[in-house]
Amino acid sequence: MKIPEILRTDQIDNAVLLLSSYYNKPQPGKTTLRSGARFDDWAGGGDAPDVANTITADDFLAASFLSVRFSPKAVMGILEHRRDDVADLLAQIPVDLDLVDVTHENFKSVLGEESAAWQLWDLFRGKDLEGNESWGIGPTKASKLMARKRPRLIPIWDSVVRNETGLKDSGTQWSDWHEVLTQNEGALARHLDDIQHRADLQHSISPLRVMDVVLWMRGTGGITQPPTGEDETA
């Protein structure tokens, strides 16, 4: 996977403009900020100490700010029947670990197919459900829930990310992003920090969220067009 052009160092002015427009300026033709600008800090954030290891209604609400909708069956199923399972898995996933700081030796235990993170991904996707019991949570919705709980570790996946990066599907996204972020002693992660610093946001966000927003704004022409489509990051 190659670093998308908008995330290259020679494009920093454009990336700063995209990030600042998303968080600091009203949507085109409106007087309010994009709903997605509240995803990170809604109700104190999904990784706040008192809620970091549990799933809450506010997590579903915050994820919905990114143009996805969860069925009542999914919300009730997870909150009422799988909350303890989610809590057990979240307790095993580091809150204060950035994806770029995951060593190659530890990647498998943190984000590999046997890891708690992967198990939580499968739980949110309802992999153990059948037929009419399905929650209808695909990779986009699952990634937004996981990014809400672990914004420093889990990237968001949607059709715009796929198109902007050339990734074929969500199955290898964690390892692909890890490879790119750890190249050149973490140069891309430092660049994402620079973008955020220059954008002068009202509250801090994770480098992965910087990456997601810049890619989404670039991929949708977000400065001049309102967001469309449920599978995108609003």
Side-chain angles (χ1 to χ4, degrees):
M1 173 183 162
K2 295 181 179 180
I3 296 176
E5 181 179 357
I6 190 61
L7 297 179
R8 296 175 184 171
T9 54
D10 61 351
Q11 292 291 314
I12 189 169
D13 289 340
N14 291 330
V16 169
L17 176 61
L18 293 173
L19 186 66
S20 179
S21 295
Y22 185 95
Y23 280 100
N24 298 333
K25 297 180 181 179
Q27 299 180 63
K30 298 184 179 181
T31 60
T32 59
L33 296 176
R34 299 173 186 275
S35 62
R38 297 301 312 278
F39 168 74
D40 315 274
D41 70 339
W42 179 258
D47 59 343
D50 57 331
V51 296
N53 291 334
T54 188
I55 187 75
T56 71
D58 278 317
D59 293 323
F60 283 97
L61 181 59
S64 76
F65 295 166
L66 304 183
S67 293
V68 292
R69 298 293 180 268
F70 297 91
S71 70
K73 181 188 293 185
V75 176
M76 290 186 289
I78 293 174
L79 291 181
E80 293 186 346
H81 303 293
R82 303 303 300 274
R83 187 192 292 267
D84 289 344
D85 296 328
V86 172
D88 289 342
L89 292 171
L90 284 172
Q92 301 174 57
I93 306 172
V95 178
D96 56 354
L97 181 63
D98 288 281
L99 181 56
V100 67
D101 292 327
V102 178
T103 66
H104 291 281
E105 293 78 12
N106 291 336
F107 182 86
K108 184 176 181 180
S109 63
V110 176
L111 293 171
E113 294 187 15
E114 302 300 322
S115 68
W118 198 289
Q119 293 177 57
L120 183 59
W121 173 265
D122 283 346
L123 187 157
F124 284 150
R125 295 286 309 276
K127 288 299 184 73
D128 59 346
L129 303 176
E130 297 181 1
N132 293 332
E133 297 300 319
S134 173
W135 289 331
I137 295 181
T140 294
K141 295 176 182 179
S143 74
K144 291 175 180 180
L145 281 176
M146 293 192 68
R148 165 74 179 177
K149 303 309 300 180
R150 296 295 183 268
R152 297 168 59 177
L153 186 64
I154 305 296
I156 285 177
W157 167 268
D158 61 19
S159 60
V160 177
V161 170
R162 182 187 64 218
N163 293 338
E164 290 295 302
T165 61
L167 292 172
K168 294 182 179 180
D169 59 54
S170 62
T172 62
Q173 57 163 328
W174 295 350
S175 58
D176 288 335
W177 277 124
H178 181 254
E179 179 182 355
V180 171
L181 285 163
T182 54
Q183 290 175 357
N184 301 316
E185 299 181 341
L188 176 56
R190 293 193 299 275
H191 179 58
L192 294 171
D193 286 338
D194 289 341
I195 293 171
Q196 177 167 192
H197 177 73
R198 289 181 52 176
D200 193 24
L201 306 185
Q202 296 181 15
H203 58 84
S204 179
I205 60 176
S206 73
L208 294 182
R209 182 67 172 137
V210 173
M211 182 175 69
D212 172 59
V213 169
V214 170
L215 289 175
W216 187 83
M217 291 287 280
R218 169 64 178 81
T220 61
I223 290 181
T224 58
Q225 300 175 9
T228 59
E230 186 175 272
D231 196 36
E232 298 173 352
T233 305

